[in-house]
Amino acid sequence: MNNKKLWGGRFEKSTDEMINDFQASINFDKRLYREDIEGSIAHAKMLAACKIISADDAQKIIEGLKNILAQIDGGNFNFSVELEDIHMNIEKALTDSIGDAGGRLHTARSRNDQVALDMHLHVRRQVEEIQRLIRELQKNLVDATEKNLSVIMPGYTHLQRAQPILFSHHLMAYFWMLKRDYDRFSGVYERANIMPLGAGALAGTTFPIDRNFVKDELNFKEVYLNSLDAVSDRDYILEFLSAASILMIHLSRLSEEIILWCSREFNFVELDDAHCTGSSMMPQKKNPDVPELVRGKAGRVIGHLMAMLTTVKALPLAYNKDLQEDKEGLFDAIDTVKFSLAVFAQIIAGMKVKAENMRRAVEEDFSNATDVADYLVKKNLPFRQAHEVSGKLVHHCIERGIYLKDLPLDEYKTFSDKFDADIYDAIKPETCVNARNSLGGTSTEQVKLQLEHARKFIS
Ligand code: ARG
């Protein structure tokens, strides 16, 4: 039969159909076709440069591979499960089209180092794409920050109103998380930027190959110096999945906040109609499905990380078929992260900020109580005593059903003779915010400084 196994020589029987379906990876590894062809072209060039195959054969191979690439790109390629994986599908199509020269391509190579090469190329490419999407989201966060620079909201600890902050400061916190995500992906890139081809199945090859040729051809930084390591290393995938998980956790935290802010209880923001869905039963509903889904998908990416850690744990050297399990989770994580970043950029761009509601949440509460204490400290009361006085004032106001700004000065004075008329200015939301002018604090000046640094990063 035409789809005879490329490794069928030592076998008397053909593979059981169910077993073949079970072990074949073509249904998911076909997405490596571009990398597989790039890798094979570099390998063929190297084989010719080292005189392991003729220049003529190399030329035929390269042209044949380019034709296959065009076929796959155009949706005109028939993938066969019988041929197991992307490597053998392409090699078989090549041999069918160019004859013997195609059969020479796999000289000095195994699928073990071939798949490792494909995965390194793929991860590198996807990391670049993800970093581009991180920047897009960061740009939108910076835009939203600039647009809402002086909007004041309560900052929370324990989800209890704590101190007044700038909404822009809150948004910028996510910018810096994303900056670390970006940097983490640069680290992933670096570890994926090592060239494994030439390791053969596990021990190297008897042919006089030039691994640095392939390294340079494919723009890798270095080559693996141990063939066993080259075919068994999945660290860069584990690192990718952990960087992806941390990124998804950041998006999930922001999602959770946006979901809360959209609730009637907070009512701090409203998402664009185009980014929400309704309910089939309750006509009034406008649901923040996108952040909810991103929050949900974070669990899925973390799951892929756990699965991969567990797969690699206790695997003996060198290649084991378990390692084929490195693909589906990784590919799904790539899709999930890219999609989540892209939709989130839109969510942020379309989000309407309800500044009056945020301000009301600051004014109708006691998040300026620390500022009362700080006021007294600046008038030379030790902080511990000032804290006590401010606490008593809060208690007194709660009993009277008023806020600190409403308490008459003579009542202030019964708590401490250090109070003067300037207390009212000291506890205004703007004063509280702008007084926190320590480096990295929430003052307008400090947020502007953050923006300056941020703009440098995204430009
Ligand atoms: N499809 C395989 C994988 O993804 C390719 C390597 C197969 N090597 C082998 N010796 N069976 O891991």
Side-chain angles (χ1 to χ4, degrees):
M1 104 198 247
N2 191 32
N3 278 346
K4 187 175 164 298
K5 296 285 189 198
L6 298 184
W7 41 254
R10 65 97 68 213
F11 287 78
E12 283 181 3
K13 278 188 182 174
S14 57
T15 317
D16 177 275
E17 206 180 314
M18 189 171 80
I19 298 299
N20 195 62
D21 286 351
F22 182 69
Q23 62 102 26
S25 52
I26 186 63
N27 286 330
F28 49 86
D29 68 15
K30 61 173 136 203
R31 78 154 85 185
L32 294 172
Y33 73 91
R34 184 175 306 283
E35 288 83 6
D36 198 67
I37 289 172
E38 277 170 12
S40 287
I41 290 177
H43 182 63
K45 283 185 186 167
M46 181 278 289
L47 290 176
C50 296
K51 308 216 173 336
I52 300 167
I53 64 172
S54 69
D56 193 40
D57 279 348
Q59 203 43 43
K60 281 190 199 140
I61 290 172
I62 292 163
E63 269 160 35
L65 287 170
K66 284 184 179 162
N67 281 337
I68 293 172
L69 179 63
Q71 279 170 33
I72 303 180
D73 274 340
N76 302 316
F77 188 90
N78 245 342
F79 292 103
S80 146
V81 177
E82 187 61 30
L83 288 165
E84 291 183 34
D85 56 26
I86 187 64
H87 325 295
M88 294 204 288
N89 268 267
I90 290 175
E91 190 186 322
K92 179 72 168 50
L94 181 69
T95 313
D96 285 350
S97 85
I98 65 167
D100 269 359
R104 298 211 160 87
L105 170 63
H106 210 53
T107 313
R109 185 175 77 170
S110 151
R111 271 185 301 156
N112 298 349
D113 56 347
Q114 184 179 358
V115 74
L117 177 64
D118 294 4
M119 291 291 275
H120 281 72
L121 289 169
H122 193 69
V123 166
R124 257 189 359 183
R125 179 168 281 153
Q126 295 300 327
V127 162
E128 283 177 335
E129 187 58 19
I130 287 170
Q131 287 185 316
R132 189 186 65 73
L133 289 164
I134 291 176
R135 272 182 195 227
E136 290 304 308
L137 174 55
Q138 285 182 308
K139 279 183 196 153
N140 290 2
L141 278 171
V142 164
D143 284 349
T145 298
E146 281 168 346
K147 253 194 276 165
N148 298 286
L149 189 64
S150 48
V151 172
I152 294 178
M153 72 181 290
Y156 293 81
T157 62
H158 313 269
L159 208 54
Q160 306 286 319
R161 291 173 195 166
Q163 289 175 351
I165 59 169
L166 290 180
F167 176 65
S168 51
H169 189 52
H170 197 119
L171 283 184
M172 283 306 287
Y174 286 96
F175 178 96
W176 298 115
M177 294 179 220
L178 288 166
K179 158 88 169 63
R180 291 194 296 276
D181 290 322
Y182 188 100
D183 293 345
R184 254 185 293 278
F185 275 106
S186 298
V188 176
Y189 190 97
E190 206 178 305
R191 249 83 63 202
N193 203 12
I194 312 174
M195 210 290 294
L197 203 72
L202 74 162
T205 171
T206 56
F207 293 94
I209 59 168
D210 180 356
R211 296 186 63 208
N212 285 313
F213 182 103
V214 177
K215 177 203 87 173
D216 292 339
E217 194 68 25
L218 297 172
N219 217 3
F220 279 97
K221 187 164 161 240
E222 52 193 310
V223 299
Y224 280 89
L225 287 177
N226 181 304
S227 61
L228 297 170
D229 185 35
V231 288
S232 312
D233 177 26
R234 295 296 181 276
D235 292 0
Y236 62 103
I237 294 177
L238 292 172
E239 284 188 50
F240 180 97
L241 290 171
S242 53
S245 296
I246 298 171
L247 167 63
M248 287 303 291
I249 286 171
H250 293 152
L251 296 185
S252 177
R253 292 180 80 171
L254 182 53
S255 293
E256 171 68 12
E257 303 217 75
I258 290 174
I259 293 161
L260 286 170
W261 293 341
C262 284
S263 72
R264 191 83 190 134
E265 284 68 17
F266 276 81
N267 206 9
F268 284 177
V269 301
E270 184 173 348
L271 300 185
D272 196 292
D273 272 3
H275 301 155
C276 292
T277 63
S279 154
S280 57
M281 186 184 197
M282 300 164 284
Q284 84 285 9
K285 290 300 286 295
K286 177 172 168 184
N287 297 326
D289 298 47
V290 172
E292 289 173 85
L293 264 176
V294 169
R295 187 178 59 185
K297 285 175 191 295
R300 175 163 156 176
V301 174
I302 294 165
H304 294 319
L305 170 63
M306 292 307 130
M308 195 59 207
L309 286 166
T310 316
T311 298
V312 178
K313 173 184 172 296
L315 266 194
L317 299 181
Y319 180 84
N320 300 273
K321 188 81 167 201
D322 315 43
L323 290 174
Q324 180 168 287
E325 286 294 306
D326 63 357
K327 295 183 188 58
E328 285 163 287
L330 173 73
F331 296 160
D332 184 68
I334 289 169
D335 293 344
T336 306
V337 164
K338 282 164 62 174
F339 216 167
S340 301
L341 283 167
V343 294
F344 232 94
Q346 285 209 39
I347 290 285
I348 297 298
M351 185 168 75
K352 210 171 82 198
V353 177
K354 298 181 168 177
E356 336 70 61
N357 295 349
M358 291 186 182
R359 187 175 181 97
R360 202 172 314 122
V362 169
E363 286 191 337
E364 299 181 357
D365 210 337
F366 294 92
S367 56
N368 49 3
T370 312
D371 297 84
V372 173
D374 287 357
Y375 171 92
L376 293 171
V377 169
K378 281 165 197 159
K379 299 210 169 181
N380 217 19
L381 202 65
F383 179 75
R384 275 293 146 234
Q385 286 174 43
H387 185 286
E388 172 84 9
V389 170
S390 177
K392 284 191 168 139
L393 272 163
V394 170
H395 186 255
H396 176 74
C397 287
I398 291 172
E399 292 213 313
R400 284 197 50 192
I402 59 173
Y403 298 107
L404 288 164
K405 66 177 167 42
D406 309 316
L407 192 71
L409 186 58
D410 51 347
E411 284 189 49
Y412 266 106
K413 283 187 183 292
T414 64
F415 288 81
S416 165
D417 58 7
K418 294 189 184 294
F419 283 116
D420 274 312
D422 57 353
I423 180 63
Y424 298 104
D425 186 52
I427 60 173
K428 277 194 188 132
E430 280 75 13
T431 318
C432 300
V433 161
N434 287 320
R436 290 183 168 74
N437 198 26
S438 51
L439 184 62
T442 191
S443 71
T444 313
E445 194 183 321
Q446 292 300 324
V447 175
K448 281 185 178 159
L449 185 70
Q450 289 183 59
L451 277 169
E452 238 175 76
H453 286 283
R455 273 191 224 102
K456 260 185 239 153
F457 178 71
I458 55 177
S459 63

